[in-house]
Amino acid sequence: MTEILRQKPALRARVAAWKRAGERVGVVPTMGALHAGHLSLVEAAKAGCDRVIVTIFVNPKQFNSASDLENYPRTEDEDAAKLAPFDVDTVYVPDPEEIYPEGFATQVSVAGLTEGLCGSHRPGHFDGVTTVVSKLFLQTGADRAYFGEKDYQQLQVVTRMATDLDIPVEVIGCPTVRETDGLALSSRNLLLPPEARAAAPALSIAMRAMAEGLLAGGEIGALRAQAEAAVLGAGFETLEYLELRAADGLAPMTVVDRPARLLAAAWIGGVRLIDNIPVG
Ligand code: PAF
């Protein structure tokens, strides 16, 4: 049975013993509702580290809507069952006061990278992410941390944060895992009504078509308009953003003259989905 720890002192004692033995510790931070995307991070951590900690904490500070926080799936028993075959060393499910004790008054905030894309549509979201992730890095003392490229802006922000704060952790991005129809795996997919789930792959299909058009030298405005029409025509309620950004640093781009990423967020069936793909 995988060990579940809920308090910092127990976690610290475990990690201290591993470090004394010269072992490399990896962490996979999650909010639970684990799917094959998370499990691919666990596999990468197992391959790259001697010890692996998976953290599960639904972080209230990164939700900018009370109903989103309330509806977020919480599936601890199923998560433990999914992790069992991977034989991770510890699952850390901190009690809320281990993360935000009485009187907690600090916020970690990254400038620049958090402006635009999800940052424009989810005020305070990235401050919540960087605050909790910095705490998880420090509490676990991990040498390596594994994040999915599916949350590409988050990956860039967390990498910047660790560098800027001299947190001695190597942040490793791992490829997005998709359903066979192309839908990027996300815990939020569980919330999609059946009709919306059936239509949801239209987002990645439209993004791939736009990426191909850009690489063929097409004009970004026209390609974006076609992609938006395809997404809305398939049943999405809104396309929040669909933007071409530099793969490193997320600067806005209009032509593919260096490695780029197409990033999107869109609503379907009352659920907000995000996706991104490499371009060039
Ligand atoms: O990607 C997530 O699941 C969360 O944003 C994270 C990194 C676990 C922080 O709460």
Side-chain angles (χ1 to χ4, degrees), residues 248-267:
D248 187 17
L250 297 180
M253 292 170 65
T254 53
V255 289
V256 184
D257 52 9
R258 63 204 135 120
R261 215 84 199 181
L262 204 51
L263 302 103
W267 288 82

Side-chain angles (χ1 to χ4, degrees), residues 49-71:
C49 304
D50 304 303
R51 298 288 181 171
V52 173
I53 303 168
V54 175
T55 70
I56 299 179
F57 180 68
V58 180
N59 173 32
K61 287 198 189 294
Q62 70 186 77
F63 287 82
N64 52 313
S65 133
S67 63
D68 192 21
L69 173 59
E70 201 182 311
N71 294 335

Side-chain angles (χ1 to χ4, degrees), residues 29-31 57 59 62 129 132-133 147 151 154:
T30 81
M31 296 205 298
F57 180 68
N59 173 32
Q62 70 186 77
V129 169
V132 79
V133 170
F147 290 84
D151 296 290
Q154 168 174 280

Side-chain angles (χ1 to χ4, degrees), residues 44-124:
K46 291 280 297 184
C49 304
D50 304 303
R51 298 288 181 171
V52 173
I53 303 168
V54 175
T55 70
I56 299 179
F57 180 68
V58 180
N59 173 32
K61 287 198 189 294
Q62 70 186 77
F63 287 82
N64 52 313
S65 133
S67 63
D68 192 21
L69 173 59
E70 201 182 311
N71 294 335
Y72 200 83
R74 288 161 174 85
T75 57
E76 190 182 315
D77 292 345
E78 290 92 324
D79 291 345
K82 284 180 190 162
L83 288 172
F86 292 87
D87 195 26
V88 299
D89 295 276
T90 295
V91 182
Y92 181 49
V93 190
D95 293 334
E97 47 298 353
E98 296 297 310
I99 302 291
Y100 300 123
E102 184 77 25
F104 185 82
T106 297
Q107 180 170 286
V108 177
S109 187
V110 173
L113 283 169
T114 56
E115 289 149 26
L117 305 171
C118 286
S120 299
H121 296 273
R122 302 189 68 192

Side-chain angles (χ1 to χ4, degrees), residues 17-28:
W18 297 336
K19 296 258 169 133
R20 274 197 302 276
E23 293 177 316
R24 179 189 285 152
V25 178
V27 66
V28 180

Side-chain angles (χ1 to χ4, degrees), residues 47-257:
C49 304
D50 304 303
R51 298 288 181 171
V52 173
I53 303 168
V54 175
T55 70
I56 299 179
F57 180 68
V58 180
N59 173 32
K61 287 198 189 294
Q62 70 186 77
F63 287 82
N64 52 313
S65 133
S67 63
D68 192 21
L69 173 59
E70 201 182 311
N71 294 335
Y72 200 83
R74 288 161 174 85
T75 57
E76 190 182 315
D77 292 345
E78 290 92 324
D79 291 345
K82 284 180 190 162
L83 288 172
F86 292 87
D87 195 26
V88 299
D89 295 276
T90 295
V91 182
Y92 181 49
V93 190
D95 293 334
E97 47 298 353
E98 296 297 310
I99 302 291
Y100 300 123
E102 184 77 25
F104 185 82
T106 297
Q107 180 170 286
V108 177
S109 187
V110 173
L113 283 169
T114 56
E115 289 149 26
L117 305 171
C118 286
S120 299
H121 296 273
R122 302 189 68 192
H125 166 69
F126 284 116
D127 291 347
V129 169
T130 42
T131 300
V132 79
V133 170
S134 57
K135 293 205 61 148
L136 292 171
F137 284 173
L138 295 169
Q139 291 188 4
T140 61
D143 303 294
R144 288 185 173 170
Y146 294 80
F147 290 84
E149 285 183 348
K150 148 88 178 10
D151 296 290
Y152 196 80
Q153 189 176 14
Q154 168 174 280
L155 173 61
Q156 296 264 316
V157 167
V158 164
T159 305
R160 181 82 258 159
M161 185 258 313
T163 304
D164 288 356
L165 296 183
D166 298 318
I167 302 178
V169 63
E170 184 187 352
V171 176
I172 296 172
C174 300
T176 302
V177 179
R178 295 180 182 275
E179 300 282 8
T180 46
D181 60 12
L183 177 65
L185 294 194
S186 163
S187 305
R188 289 177 196 276
N189 294 353
L190 292 175
L191 305 174
L192 288 170
E195 215 175 294
R197 168 63 192 84
L203 179 60
S204 65
I205 293 169
M207 291 171 74
R208 277 203 306 278
M210 181 168 169
E212 279 163 24
L214 285 165
L215 289 173
E219 193 275 316
I220 190 164
L223 290 167
R224 194 200 174 284
Q226 275 167 23
E228 178 161 20
V231 166
L232 298 181
F236 276 78
E237 290 115 33
T238 337
L239 180 62
E240 240 178 32
Y241 65 78
L242 172 57
E243 293 188 34
L244 184 70
R245 297 286 185 117
D248 187 17
L250 297 180
M253 292 170 65
T254 53
V255 289
V256 184
D257 52 9

